[in-house]
């Protein structure tokens, strides 16, 4: 089974990203042939560019490798290192009705928010279709907001295949139903846009500061406390095994400790959980050439699939090469 996903290089990763997406990707490596790339061309559509984009690309690659993307199990590369994707993007544009893109929620939402639309924002789903269709994956794991983009890729592939035969594989999207939305410090969904994040690789002091901001019910120290709806508990349970979780529940029920104590406990648990990943990251930060080498090898492996696919596509579409 081939699984493919793209990751926007959008900055510091938070624990919502980790439990909602990165961990599934890392776990998928055990049983699937996984393909993951840093979508740096896509990042340009929201205004990223220049030195900042280059830095974000390396940062994201470093962070994903540190968190368990294993280059011996996954093909991991930077989108722009496999140029065939741009060629396919153009060819697929000829099979993309304007109406299909005009109906894209993500584009409409961004325009409604006042982001001035440029062509890359509008044609974003066509590039995403090229990313997917070039590699014929069975499954594309995505967040809910990206389902429509995978459907657009299927529509484009169908139009192409109707004209030229069964060449492009229709991908299925996959949503992890049992992955809960990780709450942010204010109890809403944790998201960069809401400024309520706890980052994975923050400094210890900053992490503690963010954890101390978690909103909790005002209950006197000696009183028993509810844990089910407590933001601190709901975050802690992501990190804890059964036994430790029951211990924590008992501390809530017993009373005599305030939410401040549970916050300190959460900070410790989280710091320990990511310890090994931090060490790996330290290594990669000091050896950025190793990261570049891994990405180049990944791009070579991805090209071995992309090139013959493009040859086939050029041949049927009459593009001489
Ligand atoms: P953000 O909302 O911070 O901008 P992104 O949209 O870049 O995050 O999300 C990247 C990935 O992380 C997506 O697959 C998304 O579903 C997942 N993700 C982000 N925030 C959460 C969260 N609070 N809970 C679960 N998954 C999340
Ligand atoms: N649009 C995706 C996102 O913002 C990133 C992405 C680009 C992607 N190309 C892809 C995801 C191909 C899956 C498959 O999260």
């Amino acid at each position: 089974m081939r699984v493919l996903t793209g990751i926007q290089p959008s900055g510091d990763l938070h624990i919502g990203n980790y439990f909602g997406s990165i961990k599934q990707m890392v776990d998928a490596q055990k049983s699937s042939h996984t393909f993951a790339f840093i979508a740096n061309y896509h990042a340009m559509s929201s205004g990223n560019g220049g030195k900042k984009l280059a830095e974000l690309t390396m940062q994201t690659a470093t962070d994903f490798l540190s968190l368990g993307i294993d280059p011996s199990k996954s093909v991991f590369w930077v989108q722009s290192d496999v140029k065939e994707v741009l060629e396919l993007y153009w060819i697929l544009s000829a099979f993309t009705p304007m109406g299909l893109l005009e109906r894209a929620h993500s584009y409409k939402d961004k325009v409604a928010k006042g982001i001035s639309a440029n062509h890359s924002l509008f044609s974003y789903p066509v590039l995403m279709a090229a990313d997917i269709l070039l590699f014929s994956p069975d499954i594309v794991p995505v967040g809910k907001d990206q389902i429509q983009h995978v459907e657009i890729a299927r529509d484009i592939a169908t139009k192409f295949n109707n004209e030229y035969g069964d060449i492009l594989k229709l991908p299925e999207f996959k949503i992890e139903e049992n992955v809960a939305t990780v709450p942010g410090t204010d109890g809403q969904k944790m998201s960069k846009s809401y400024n309520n994040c706890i980052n994975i690789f923050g400094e210890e002091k900053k992490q503690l500061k963010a954890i101390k901001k978690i909103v909790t019910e005002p209950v006197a120290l000696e009183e028993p406390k509810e844990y089910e709806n407590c933001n601190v508990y709901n975050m802690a349970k992501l990190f804890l095994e059964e036994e430790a979780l029951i211990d924590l529940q008992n501390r809530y029920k017993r009373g005599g400790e305030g939410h401040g104590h549970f916050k300190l406990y959460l900070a410790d648990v989280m710091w320990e959980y990511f310890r090994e990943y931090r060490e790996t990251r330290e290594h990669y930060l000091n050896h950025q050439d190793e990261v570049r080498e891994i990405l180049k090898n990944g791009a070579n492996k991805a090209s071995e699939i992309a090139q013959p696919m493009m040859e086939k596509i050029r041949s049927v579409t009459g593009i001489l090469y």
Side-chain angles (χ1 to χ4, degrees):
M1 166 110 69
R2 189 177 287 177
V3 175
L4 173 138
T5 196
I7 304 138
Q8 288 233 29
S10 50
D12 296 339
L13 297 169
H14 54 73
I15 60 174
N17 297 140
Y18 180 73
F19 288 102
S21 145
I22 303 166
K23 192 168 182 296
Q24 339 291 332
M25 226 189 278
V26 170
D27 291 346
Q29 295 180 127
K30 289 185 202 132
S31 53
S32 313
H33 197 192
T34 40
F35 287 68
F37 63 91
I38 315 268
N40 58 340
Y41 283 139
H42 275 111
M44 295 188 84
S45 69
S46 43
N48 285 304
K51 198 163 163 243
K52 180 78 188 158
L53 178 58
E55 278 168 13
L56 282 176
T57 303
M58 282 306 286
Q59 179 184 334
T60 306
T62 304
D63 288 354
F64 273 75
L65 288 170
S66 310
L67 290 168
I69 292 291
D70 177 348
S72 71
K73 295 188 185 131
S74 284
V75 182
F76 184 52
W77 75 101
V78 178
Q79 185 183 31
S80 59
D81 282 341
V82 179
K83 298 291 182 205
E84 282 78 6
V85 79
L86 289 181
E87 186 179 356
L88 184 56
Y89 161 67
W90 182 255
I91 292 176
L92 295 180
S93 288
F95 293 85
T96 310
M98 291 293 281
L100 192 60
L101 299 182
E102 277 159 359
R103 284 195 295 279
H105 306 304
S106 140
Y107 170 72
K108 285 197 289 190
D109 290 351
K110 284 183 177 142
V111 172
K113 275 191 197 141
I115 295 175
S116 71
N118 60 35
H119 180 255
S120 71
L121 198 62
F122 186 65
S123 63
Y124 184 111
V126 189
L127 181 58
M128 184 156 157
D131 289 331
I132 297 171
L133 300 173
L134 191 54
F135 297 99
S136 317
D138 302 283
I139 303 278
V140 180
V142 284
K144 287 201 182 78
D145 58 321
Q146 297 293 319
I147 295 176
Q148 196 191 21
H149 288 159
V150 181
E151 285 169 346
I152 292 176
R154 289 173 63 93
D155 286 351
I156 297 174
T158 305
K159 279 195 167 294
F160 183 95
N161 288 349
N162 283 343
E163 182 78 24
Y164 292 117
D166 209 7
I167 292 183
L168 304 177
K169 186 181 172 81
L170 268 55
E172 306 284 340
F173 61 81
K174 181 173 162 222
I175 301 280
E176 286 290 341
E177 292 298 351
N178 52 2
V179 171
T181 300
V182 178
T185 52
D186 57 359
Q188 298 190 72
K189 174 186 186 271
M190 184 176 288
S191 168
K192 277 186 291 294
S193 353
Y194 304 148
N195 201 13
N196 62 357
C197 295
I198 298 176
N199 290 337
I200 301 172
F201 292 124
E203 279 169 39
E204 196 169 9
K205 264 192 192 157
K206 279 198 186 150
Q207 270 182 355
L208 185 59
K209 207 169 148 197
I211 288 173
K212 283 189 173 162
K213 277 202 303 195
I214 298 174
V215 177
T216 52
E217 290 289 317
V219 183
L221 188 86
E222 61 281 3
E223 296 291 321
K225 295 171 186 65
E226 284 229 346
Y227 57 82
E228 283 95 343
N229 295 317
C230 173
N231 292 323
V232 180
Y233 173 84
N234 282 329
M235 237 179 252
K237 84 176 176 200
L238 297 165
F239 298 98
L240 295 175
E241 303 283 345
E242 181 84 22
E243 208 175 309
L245 195 61
I246 291 170
D247 276 351
L248 182 61
Q249 290 172 2
N250 289 334
R251 286 171 65 185
Y252 270 79
K253 287 193 250 179
R254 211 181 296 133
E257 286 185 280
H259 288 108
H261 296 98
F262 303 139
K263 288 178 181 177
L264 289 179
Y265 175 68
L266 169 63
D268 276 349
V269 165
M270 190 176 139
W271 193 251
E272 271 317 304
Y273 187 96
F274 289 117
R275 177 180 295 282
E276 204 182 300
Y277 301 117
R278 263 195 316 277
E279 286 165 7
T280 312
R281 185 167 180 264
E282 214 35 54
H283 168 85
Y284 280 128
L285 284 174
N286 291 324
H287 299 84
Q288 289 279 281
D289 283 352
E290 248 179 65
V291 176
R292 278 190 205 93
E293 190 64 25
I294 289 170
L295 294 171
K296 285 288 167 254
N297 285 335
N300 289 340
K301 285 191 209 153
S303 297
E304 282 169 21
I305 295 171
Q307 283 168 3
M309 183 62 164
M310 261 332 287
E311 274 169 32
K312 212 193 279 179
I313 292 170
R314 283 184 208 114
S315 153
V316 297
T317 53
I319 298 296
L320 301 180
Y321 196 70

